[in-house]
Structure formats: structure tokens, C-alpha cells
Amino acid sequence: MRVGYNPNKDKVQEDNVFFHQVIIPVYIPNQEGYFKDSFKILQYCLESLFKTCHNKTYFTIVNNGSNNEVVEYLNNLYHDKKIHELIHTSNIGKINAVLKGITGQKFKLITIADADALFLNGWQNATYEVFKAFAKAGAVCPTPSPKSFSNKTANVIFENLFSNLLKFTPVKNPKALQYFANSIGNPKFYKSPHLEKYLTLSDGNLNAVIGAGHFVATYRSDVFSNLGVLYSDYSLGGNSEDEILDKTVVRNGFWRLSTEDNFVYHMGNTEEEWMSQKLEKTIISSDDIVEEIQFDKQKEKKIISWIKNDLFYRFIFHKSIKKKFLIYKGLTKEEAKHY
């Protein structure tokens, strides 16, 4: 039997004081084999996040079926108010865990990151600068990758094809690119031309690298407003990230870009000395007032999206056309051959 009147009934939710959410799914089932160092890697990840984020950042951690030690660690962080939202589930897969973090909240920006990302000072501001410079930026990665220039980027190339602001420019931090290649266990992931030049777009003052990676990226939250997908069949990989994170951006008429410099390192699953060294160099961000980004609404007709992202994609990245495009935008014939 209900007695009385619930004081929260029909009460409008108070405005959110946070405008930037960071979602990190965590899956560490044990500390053996592949996962031997994963708990320590997670600690590096979260400590770097806490130190480098401004006070308008909302932390959501989704425990995706981790072991008891990890659960206890995360519970303590929550009780100590270092994280704002902690969701415990069984192992439902990375994207399904991310979807749980996205729903039930309202933020202007959503960063989705793997639990092996090491954040550096300035990563938020660098990301915001790209969003401010390019009104059509829908996803911004703080770790540039030259090889991402052809992944769900046909729309930004289509719209800037004949502009001299779209061109290959010198890589700002080639050492960081090599760090990434080493972290995925493939030191030769980048060829020599990749370490020297990447495709960038300029607004006249700021360069952004074309394309965005997966292990960490910040999205305009409205790209997920009409997602139409509530579940992924994959625990990890498959087409889940492509469909839900990548295509969602371009279907809404937005661009996928990256910062010119590197502001987040990928650690992988093995602890190395450089990780603690990088973490020690980070400083606690100040509590200065952070200006919230104001976005204009963007909408694109399906036929226009199809022309840019499907028809034009097949044209510009056709083997014979692609090489001509690379040369037209600043690579030598030899560089284009190996890019």
C-alpha cells in the first residue's frame, strides 16, 4: 500500500553542473596471462584522468565483469567521490558497456576511452580547440594517426577537396606515433612517410588531423541522440565500434578529426617504466572556470550523406585515384606509393 505523495513526482531534474562526461569500460577478469598487468595499467589510466581533467568533468566507469580486487578498487573510488557513476555488470562486451554509460545522462561532450589510455595535461583543451575551430567536428581524438585519413573521412575530404587548407603537413610528434606502434605490439605499424606527414585541415589558425582512432575519442553527444541501436552482438571488435561509434558520426553530417599533437598515450597490457614517468610529469589541473562549448545544430539529408560517404568514398579511395589525390595534397610520388 502506498501512503502519501512522493515529493519527487513531476519534479523537473536540476541542471547538470557538468558538461563533459568520460566513459571507461573496464574488463579485468583476472591478473594472469594477458591480464597480468592490467590492474596496474587501469590505475595509471584513472590516476592520469583525475589529474588532468577540469572540475566540470563527470566520470563514468562501467565494470564489465572484472575480478573482486578491481571491483573493490572501483568501489573505493566511488565512495571517495573520485568517480561520479559506477556501473557493475557481468561481461556484456565493450560497446554494450559504453551504451550503458551513455544513457540516462545529458552532457555536451562524451569521451569514450579504453582502460589503457594514459592522459596528459591539456588533452581536454586541445580537443575543445578542434571543436571550436571546426563547427562540423563530431568526433575528436587526442591521439593523431596518419593511417586514419581514409577511415570514415570521405565527407570532410569531399567538402574540402579543392581547398588549399586540406593538405599534408609535417607530423608534429613522430616519437608519439612510434610509442603507439610499439604499444600495439607492431613497431613497424607506421611506414616512414606516416612518421613524416599526415593529412590535415586548417581553419587558418589551427590544424586538425583527418580521421580519428578508437581507443580514445570525444564526441558531440548529439551524434548519439538518434542512435537506433541498443545492443551489440560482439564482446570486442567485430563491426560494433565501426557501426556505433564511427558511422554514427558521419551519418549525422559530422567530421572525424584528431589533434595535431599527441595528448594521450596507449599503454597496452604490459607495464613499462615510461608509463610511471609520464604520469609523474602530469600536474593536477586547476579549478579555473572552464568555458562550455556551444554547438550549432547540424542536420544532413540522407541522400547527401550517401553521396559523400558512399559514392565519393568509392571514387576518391579507388586505388588509381587515391594515389593521385595523395600527390595532389602534398605527397611525393614515392611517399604516395607507400602511404
Side-chain angles (χ1 to χ4, degrees):
M1 170 175 77
R2 181 188 296 134
V3 177
Y5 186 85
N6 191 321
N8 291 305
K9 185 175 176 61
D10 299 326
K11 183 178 179 181
V12 176
Q13 187 77 11
E14 293 182 4
D15 289 340
N16 197 340
V17 298
F18 305 97
F19 71 87
H20 187 169
Q21 180 189 27
V22 179
I23 302 172
I24 298 184
V26 178
Y27 175 62
I28 306 175
N30 54 60
Q31 293 181 51
E32 303 170 359
Y34 181 89
F35 299 100
K36 179 176 67 69
D37 294 340
S38 293
F39 185 25
K40 188 61 181 178
I41 296 292
L42 171 65
Q43 291 173 306
Y44 284 146
C45 171
L46 295 184
E47 287 174 27
S48 71
L49 193 64
F50 300 151
K51 289 178 70 176
T52 60
C53 288
H54 58 68
N55 61 0
K56 299 297 183 183
T57 311
Y58 187 95
F59 302 120
T60 296
I61 309 299
V62 185
N63 167 38
N64 192 25
S66 299
N67 64 13
N68 291 335
E69 187 174 0
V70 174
V71 169
E72 183 179 2
Y73 167 70
L74 295 176
N75 283 338
N76 288 335
L77 291 178
Y78 178 75
H79 290 305
D80 291 341
K81 301 186 184 302
K82 289 188 175 181
I83 57 179
H84 304 91
E85 181 179 36
L86 176 59
I87 303 170
H88 290 295
T89 76
S90 57
N91 180 16
I92 59 173
K94 175 185 174 180
I95 289 298
N96 292 324
V98 167
L99 289 172
K100 282 187 175 292
I102 290 174
T103 58
Q105 302 282 357
K106 184 180 179 182
F107 302 96
K108 286 283 182 68
L109 295 167
I110 299 175
T111 295
I112 299 170
D114 289 350
D116 59 356
L118 184 72
F119 295 84
L120 306 181
N121 285 112
W123 75 271
Q124 285 180 304
N125 285 335
T127 299
Y128 298 166
E129 289 303 313
V130 175
F131 278 113
K132 290 175 183 176
F134 303 97
K136 299 195 74 173
V140 177
C141 176
T143 301
S145 174
K147 296 181 77 171
S148 294
F149 82 97
S150 60
N151 184 16
K152 309 297 180 298
T153 57
N155 59 347
V156 61
I157 294 174
F158 178 93
E159 294 175 45
N160 297 278
L161 181 61
F162 300 110
S163 171
N164 59 9
L165 296 177
L166 177 70
K167 61 185 178 180
F168 280 92
T169 59
V171 170
K172 195 165 187 176
N173 192 343
K175 187 176 180 180
L177 293 184
Q178 192 57 55
Y179 264 115
F180 177 80
N182 295 340
S183 75
I184 61 173
N186 185 2
K188 297 183 179 180
F189 180 71
Y190 291 119
K191 298 176 183 177
S192 179
H194 295 132
L195 297 172
E196 296 173 4
K197 298 178 183 178
Y198 42 31
L199 185 62
T200 61
L201 179 66
S202 173
D203 74 332
N205 297 304
L206 181 85
N207 282 354
V209 179
I210 302 299
H214 276 141
F215 89 96
V216 56
T218 299
Y219 302 81
R220 287 179 53 149
S221 62
D222 52 0
V223 305
F224 301 119
S225 59
N226 297 305
L227 195 56
V229 177
L230 300 176
Y231 176 79
S232 169
D233 292 322
Y234 293 92
S235 294
L236 184 67
N239 67 346
S240 57
E241 289 177 299
D242 182 63
E243 287 292 329
I244 296 174
L245 299 183
D246 297 345
K247 288 184 178 179
T248 298
V249 175
V250 297
R251 282 172 184 157
N252 281 277
F254 295 114
W255 299 343
R256 301 177 66 248
L257 304 171
S258 296
T259 56
E260 193 178 22
D261 203 349
N262 182 80
F263 291 90
V264 178
Y265 282 100
H266 179 257
M267 291 182 282
N269 67 329
T270 304
E271 182 183 7
E272 297 175 82
E273 186 177 356
W274 67 265
M275 299 171 184
S276 60
Q277 294 172 348
K278 295 288 184 184
L279 181 60
E280 288 174 4
K281 290 182 179 180
T282 59
I283 59 175
I284 297 176
S285 296
S286 69
D287 289 335
D288 293 342
I289 296 175
V290 181
E291 183 182 351
E292 185 173 340
I293 299 176
Q294 301 300 322
F295 289 121
D296 294 328
K297 289 186 177 180
Q298 302 275 349
K299 192 173 183 180
E300 188 166 80
K301 293 182 178 180
K302 288 185 178 180
I303 184 63
I304 301 299
S305 178
W306 177 79
I307 291 172
K308 294 177 183 178
N309 299 305
D310 293 271
L311 187 62
F312 180 70
Y313 171 83
R314 289 196 292 270
F315 166 75
I316 198 66
F317 292 121
H318 185 277
K319 189 175 182 179
S320 59
I321 301 297
K322 178 182 175 182
K323 187 175 180 179
K324 290 182 174 65
F325 165 70
L326 296 178
I327 295 171
Y328 168 56
K329 286 301 175 182
L331 294 186
T332 66
K333 289 184 179 180
E334 187 63 22
E335 287 172 334
K337 181 180 178 181
H338 300 286
Y339 207 85

